Amino acid sequence: MNAENERFAELEALITEALKEKPERELSLTFTDTLLRRVEKRLTWRELIREFAVKTGIVVGALIILALCLYFPMRESTNPFLLMVVDNWKLVTGVGFLILFTFFSDQVLLKFYHRPQAY
Amino acid sequence: MDDATLIAQVQAGNEHANRFLIEKYKNLVWHLVLRMVDQTEDAEDLCQEIFLRVFRDIGKFRGEAKLSTWIGAIAYNMSVTYLRKKGKNIMVPVDDYLPVTSGKLSDETADEALDKSSMKKIIHRVIDSLPVQYRTVITLFYLEELSYKEIEEITGMPDGTIKSYLNRGRQAIREGILQMVPDMRPE
C-alpha cells in the first residue's frame, strides 16, 4: 500500500514537473530580427503617411483659401481664372491627381523603399 | 528596466527598447500561443501578429495592469480569435470535460512508461488532448507561474473558474495517465 502511495505521489510530482517544463518546440532564432524588421517597416510607413497627409492638407488648405479669396471679390462669371478651371474641370482634376501621385511617390514610396535597413 | 521606462523608450522609437521588449516577453507569448493553437505552423506567425499589435497599441497602455498581463491578454484574445476563425470551439464548460486519451498502452510501452522521460512524454500527450481553456490556464499557472489575479486579467475568467479549470485539468491529466498506464493506479 505504501509503495502504491509512493508511486502515486511520484506521479503527482512528475505531473507538476511536466507542467512546468518548457515546450520542446522553440521560436526560430530569427524571430526577433524578423519581427523588428516588420515593426520598423510599419512604423516607417505610418510615419511617412502621416507626414504626407499633413503636407497635403497644408497645400490643399492653402489652395482652398486662395480659391475663396479669388471667388468672393470677383464672382465666377467675371473671373477668367476660375472660369477656365470650371470649364476644364476634367483636365484640372487629372493634373491635380498627377501632382498628388508624384508628391506621394516622392514623399512616401521613394523614401520607404530607399530607407536604410537597420536589421 | 521597469515597465514604465520600457514603454516610454518604445514610444520614443528606441530600437533597442523594441528588441528588449520582444526578448523579455516572447516566451510568455510563445508558450501561450503554442498551447492554445495546437502547435500548428501558424503559431510563430500569430506571435508576430501579437507583437505587432502590442507595438501598435502600446500608447493605449495605461499601466493599470502589469505589462506582462497586458501583453498576455492581447496574446490570449488574438489566439481565441484565431481559433474561432478556424472554427474551433474553445468554450468547454468546466463540468463537461472528460479526459479522452488514445487508449491503454501496450505492456511493452507500459514498462517503458515507468521511465521518467517517457512518462513526461505521456503527460504532454495528455495535456495536448485537453480543451483549450484548460491548457491555457494550466500553462499560465504552472509554466509562467502567474497568480490567479494575473490569469484573471489575461483571460477575463473569474477566479473560481480558473481554480476549477486548474483542479479539473490536473484531475483530467491524472485520469488520462491512469487510463494509459493502469499500473500507476493505486489499489
Side-chain angles (χ1 to χ4, degrees), chain A residues 84-97:
Chain A
M84 188 272 290
V85 170
V86 172
D87 287 346
N88 301 289
W89 68 270
K90 281 182 184 170
L91 182 71
V92 172
T93 312
V95 171
F97 272 114

Side-chain angles (χ1 to χ4, degrees), chain A residues 4 12-13 18 20 22 25 37-38 41 45 52 59 62 65 68 76 80-81 88 90-91 97-98 101 103 106 114:
Chain A
E4 287 292 344
E12 285 297 301
K20 286 174 181 279
K22 286 182 180 175
R25 206 178 138 199
R37 257 197 310 275
R38 289 183 72 186
K41 223 174 175 178
W45 182 258
F52 173 72
V59 173
I65 292 168
L68 290 175
E76 192 182 308
F81 177 72
N88 301 289
K90 281 182 184 170
L91 182 71
F97 272 114
L98 197 66
F101 178 72
F103 188 50
D106 178 59
H114 289 93

Side-chain angles (χ1 to χ4, degrees), chain B residues 36-102:
Chain B
M36 285 185 79
V37 305
D38 282 337
Q39 307 204 1
T40 59
E41 290 306 312
D42 297 340
E44 192 157 326
D45 289 339
L46 185 56
C47 281
Q48 297 241 346
E49 292 305 321
I50 288 164
F51 273 106
L52 288 173
R53 178 75 61 88
V54 167
F55 284 111
R56 194 194 72 183
D57 291 348
I58 200 140
K60 294 178 191 166
F61 179 70
R62 294 279 165 264
E64 288 145 0
K66 282 163 74 178
L67 184 59
S68 57
T69 50
W70 183 72
I71 293 174
I74 292 176
Y76 174 77
N77 290 328
M78 285 184 71
S79 300
V80 168
T81 307
Y82 170 88
L83 289 170
R84 287 209 177 114
K85 273 186 192 162
K86 294 275 170 185
K88 290 184 185 172
N89 176 30
I90 63 146
M91 296 310 289
V92 177
V94 181
D95 294 334
D96 282 6
Y97 176 68
L98 289 170
V100 181
T101 49
S102 45

Side-chain angles (χ1 to χ4, degrees), chain A residues 45 48-49 52 103-112:
Chain A
W45 182 258
L48 289 172
I49 292 291
F52 173 72
F103 188 50
F104 180 77
S105 304
D106 178 59
Q107 293 296 308
V108 180
L109 297 180
L110 285 176
K111 277 187 185 174
F112 182 73

